[in-house]
PDB file of all heavy atoms in Angstrom:
ATOM      1  N   VAL A  24      19.589 -58.764 -78.325  1.00 91.00           N
ATOM      2  CA  VAL A  24      19.156 -58.349 -77.008  1.00 91.00           C
ATOM      3  C   VAL A  24      17.678 -58.009 -77.010  1.00 91.00           C
ATOM      4  O   VAL A  24      16.947 -58.327 -76.085  1.00 91.00           O
ATOM      5  CB  VAL A  24      20.020 -57.138 -76.524  1.00 91.00           C
ATOM      6  CG1 VAL A  24      19.530 -56.627 -75.137  1.00 91.00           C
ATOM      7  CG2 VAL A  24      21.458 -57.509 -76.427  1.00 91.00           C
ATOM      8  N   VAL A  46      22.221 -57.013 -68.188  1.00 92.00           N
ATOM      9  CA  VAL A  46      21.132 -56.092 -67.795  1.00 92.00           C
ATOM     10  C   VAL A  46      21.221 -55.747 -66.332  1.00 92.00           C
ATOM     11  O   VAL A  46      21.116 -54.570 -65.904  1.00 92.00           O
ATOM     12  CB  VAL A  46      19.737 -56.742 -68.128  1.00 92.00           C
ATOM     13  CG1 VAL A  46      18.618 -55.959 -67.479  1.00 92.00           C
ATOM     14  CG2 VAL A  46      19.564 -56.837 -69.630  1.00 92.00           C
ATOM     15  N   PHE A  80      -1.093 -41.748 -46.621  1.00 94.00           N
ATOM     16  CA  PHE A  80      -0.516 -41.482 -47.935  1.00 94.00           C
ATOM     17  C   PHE A  80      -1.429 -40.823 -48.917  1.00 94.00           C
ATOM     18  O   PHE A  80      -0.961 -40.162 -49.824  1.00 94.00           O
ATOM     19  CB  PHE A  80       0.114 -42.798 -48.486  1.00 94.00           C
ATOM     20  CG  PHE A  80       1.242 -43.279 -47.638  1.00 94.00           C
ATOM     21  CD1 PHE A  80       1.091 -44.263 -46.692  1.00 94.00           C
ATOM     22  CD2 PHE A  80       2.514 -42.684 -47.784  1.00 94.00           C
ATOM     23  CE1 PHE A  80       2.131 -44.661 -45.875  1.00 94.00           C
ATOM     24  CE2 PHE A  80       3.573 -43.100 -46.956  1.00 94.00           C
ATOM     25  CZ  PHE A  80       3.378 -44.078 -46.019  1.00 94.00           C
ATOM     26  N   LYS A  89      -0.722 -30.711 -55.136  1.00 98.00           N
ATOM     27  CA  LYS A  89      -0.972 -29.276 -55.028  1.00 98.00           C
ATOM     28  C   LYS A  89       0.173 -28.478 -55.663  1.00 98.00           C
ATOM     29  O   LYS A  89       0.009 -27.367 -56.100  1.00 98.00           O
ATOM     30  CB  LYS A  89      -1.125 -28.878 -53.579  1.00 98.00           C
ATOM     31  CG  LYS A  89      -2.497 -29.145 -53.001  1.00 98.00           C
ATOM     32  CD  LYS A  89      -2.624 -28.536 -51.578  1.00 98.00           C
ATOM     33  CE  LYS A  89      -4.027 -28.730 -51.033  1.00 98.00           C
ATOM     34  NZ  LYS A  89      -4.189 -28.178 -49.686  1.00 98.00           N
ATOM     35  N   ILE A 109       8.606 -55.717 -54.391  1.00 97.00           N
ATOM     36  CA  ILE A 109       7.625 -55.078 -55.292  1.00 97.00           C
ATOM     37  C   ILE A 109       8.001 -53.617 -55.556  1.00 97.00           C
ATOM     38  O   ILE A 109       7.797 -53.104 -56.694  1.00 97.00           O
ATOM     39  CB  ILE A 109       6.208 -55.175 -54.666  1.00 97.00           C
ATOM     40  CG1 ILE A 109       5.788 -56.651 -54.589  1.00 97.00           C
ATOM     41  CG2 ILE A 109       5.199 -54.386 -55.471  1.00 97.00           C
ATOM     42  CD1 ILE A 109       4.493 -56.898 -53.877  1.00 97.00           C
ATOM     43  N   SER A 155      16.912 -41.725 -41.139  1.00 93.00           N
ATOM     44  CA  SER A 155      17.671 -42.734 -41.846  1.00 93.00           C
ATOM     45  C   SER A 155      18.501 -42.113 -43.003  1.00 93.00           C
ATOM     46  O   SER A 155      18.097 -41.064 -43.583  1.00 93.00           O
ATOM     47  CB  SER A 155      16.733 -43.804 -42.431  1.00 93.00           C
ATOM     48  OG  SER A 155      15.959 -44.383 -41.426  1.00 93.00           O
ATOM     49  N   PRO A 156      19.627 -42.699 -43.382  1.00 94.00           N
ATOM     50  CA  PRO A 156      20.459 -42.178 -44.452  1.00 94.00           C
ATOM     51  C   PRO A 156      19.635 -42.099 -45.756  1.00 94.00           C
ATOM     52  O   PRO A 156      18.935 -43.053 -46.121  1.00 94.00           O
ATOM     53  CB  PRO A 156      21.582 -43.226 -44.596  1.00 94.00           C
ATOM     54  CG  PRO A 156      21.668 -43.879 -43.253  1.00 94.00           C
ATOM     55  CD  PRO A 156      20.242 -43.893 -42.716  1.00 94.00           C
ATOM     56  N   ALA A 159      19.476 -39.320 -51.721  1.00 96.00           N
ATOM     57  CA  ALA A 159      19.832 -38.010 -52.211  1.00 96.00           C
ATOM     58  C   ALA A 159      19.237 -36.922 -51.321  1.00 96.00           C
ATOM     59  O   ALA A 159      19.956 -35.990 -50.910  1.00 96.00           O
ATOM     60  CB  ALA A 159      19.388 -37.815 -53.665  1.00 96.00           C
ATOM     61  N   ALA A 170       7.891 -40.699 -30.923  1.00 98.00           N
ATOM     62  CA  ALA A 170       7.430 -41.751 -30.038  1.00 98.00           C
ATOM     63  C   ALA A 170       7.984 -41.550 -28.615  1.00 98.00           C
ATOM     64  O   ALA A 170       7.268 -41.862 -27.655  1.00 98.00           O
ATOM     65  CB  ALA A 170       7.904 -43.102 -30.576  1.00 98.00           C
ATOM     66  N   PRO A 268      -9.722 -42.810 -19.892  1.00 98.00           N
ATOM     67  CA  PRO A 268      -8.410 -43.347 -19.568  1.00 98.00           C
ATOM     68  C   PRO A 268      -8.269 -43.864 -18.119  1.00 98.00           C
ATOM     69  O   PRO A 268      -7.199 -44.224 -17.681  1.00 98.00           O
ATOM     70  CB  PRO A 268      -7.553 -42.121 -19.736  1.00 98.00           C
ATOM     71  CG  PRO A 268      -8.411 -40.982 -19.260  1.00 98.00           C
ATOM     72  CD  PRO A 268      -9.797 -41.359 -19.678  1.00 98.00           C
ATOM     73  N   VAL A 293       0.440 -35.829 -34.044  1.00 98.00           N
ATOM     74  CA  VAL A 293      -0.056 -35.357 -35.269  1.00 98.00           C
ATOM     75  C   VAL A 293       1.099 -35.104 -36.245  1.00 98.00           C
ATOM     76  O   VAL A 293       1.957 -34.283 -35.973  1.00 98.00           O
ATOM     77  CB  VAL A 293      -0.861 -34.028 -35.015  1.00 98.00           C
ATOM     78  CG1 VAL A 293      -1.457 -33.503 -36.344  1.00 98.00           C
ATOM     79  CG2 VAL A 293      -1.967 -34.245 -34.031  1.00 98.00           C
ATOM     80  N   ILE A 299       4.425 -32.617 -45.912  1.00 98.00           N
ATOM     81  CA  ILE A 299       5.560 -33.443 -46.359  1.00 98.00           C
ATOM     82  C   ILE A 299       5.462 -33.659 -47.874  1.00 98.00           C
ATOM     83  O   ILE A 299       6.448 -33.429 -48.582  1.00 98.00           O
ATOM     84  CB  ILE A 299       5.613 -34.820 -45.616  1.00 98.00           C
ATOM     85  CG1 ILE A 299       6.029 -34.644 -44.183  1.00 98.00           C
ATOM     86  CG2 ILE A 299       6.533 -35.791 -46.384  1.00 98.00           C
ATOM     87  CD1 ILE A 299       5.923 -35.902 -43.359  1.00 98.00           C
ATOM     88  N   THR A 317      17.269 -27.406 -51.200  1.00 95.00           N
ATOM     89  CA  THR A 317      17.346 -26.487 -50.038  1.00 95.00           C
ATOM     90  C   THR A 317      18.199 -27.108 -48.948  1.00 95.00           C
ATOM     91  O   THR A 317      19.007 -26.403 -48.280  1.00 95.00           O
ATOM     92  CB  THR A 317      15.904 -26.264 -49.473  1.00 95.00           C
ATOM     93  OG1 THR A 317      15.101 -25.673 -50.503  1.00 95.00           O
ATOM     94  CG2 THR A 317      15.904 -25.423 -48.220  1.00 95.00           C
TER      95      THR A 317
END
Side-chain angles (χ1 to χ4, degrees):
V24 176
V46 168
F80 293 98
K89 280 187 175 181
I109 295 175
S155 302
V293 182
I299 287 172
T317 299

